[in-house]
Amino acid sequence: MEKRIINPWKWQDERSYSQAVEVKNVESTLYCSGQAAIDPDGTSSDKDMKSQLEQAIANLEELIRSAGYECEGIVRLNIYTTSTEELWPYFPILQEWIAKHKIQQAVTMLEVTGLFETLKVELEATVVK
């Protein structure tokens, strides 16, 4: 697989993402459903934003590994949240996870009026190898 990062500007570097990611000669692609703070028994979390973000990251990582992929292969990450204002102070948690796995991804963050049950944040990824 060949990956090319396109960043015509520098400001996105502080926000831990790329403006575009071109991928060639891909062996396979994994399209992940949104992962949120849901326990293995299917119970949705009613905890705070920080706890839900940490669990959503852990669930996404588990899904990617279970499929035989690596987090480094994430090329697209969509973040859905019920409150960007509430999520923003915890954005460094996501940035540390991105740096830890050397992820270079295009990203979109959307504030939505609601997620399933009591959920506050959901992460959706496209992963290649």
Side-chain angles (χ1 to χ4, degrees):
M1 173 201 47
E2 299 171 44
K3 190 181 341 181
R4 181 173 70 111
I5 306 303
I6 298 97
N7 285 324
W9 310 282
K10 296 291 181 197
W11 58 263
Q12 74 282 325
D13 297 347
E14 291 181 18
R15 297 177 183 162
S16 303
Y17 74 94
S18 300
Q19 295 294 334
V21 179
E22 179 184 48
V23 184
K24 295 180 180 180
N25 303 317
V26 173
E27 178 184 319
S28 55
T29 304
L30 179 68
Y31 299 94
C32 300
S33 291
Q35 298 300 302
I38 299 178
D39 291 335
D41 67 0
T43 304
S44 296
S45 174
D46 60 0
K47 295 179 182 173
D48 64 10
M49 182 66 80
K50 179 179 186 270
S51 298
Q52 287 201 22
L53 177 60
E54 291 169 338
Q55 188 174 2
I57 290 170
N59 287 350
L60 180 59
E61 190 168 333
E62 176 66 27
L63 174 63
I64 291 168
R65 285 188 178 153
S66 293
Y69 286 72
E70 295 180 16
C71 292
E72 186 176 354
I74 294 173
V75 293
R76 180 82 178 147
L77 182 65
N78 295 326
I79 304 165
Y80 303 94
T81 182
T82 56
S83 173
T84 51
E85 183 178 344
E86 192 179 345
L87 176 62
W88 196 249
Y90 305 111
F91 199 71
I93 293 169
L94 190 59
Q95 289 180 300
E96 289 168 14
W97 177 74
I98 288 167
K100 172 184 167 187
H101 292 286
K102 300 179 180 114
I103 301 168
Q104 295 177 300
Q105 82 294 345
V107 69
T108 298
M109 182 163 66
L110 297 170
E111 183 172 298
V112 296
T113 57
L115 291 170
F116 184 68
E117 297 180 335
T118 56
L119 300 173
K120 298 178 180 215
V121 63
E122 189 167 319
L123 306 175
E124 176 185 72
T126 302
V127 192
V128 297
K129 66 175 174 178

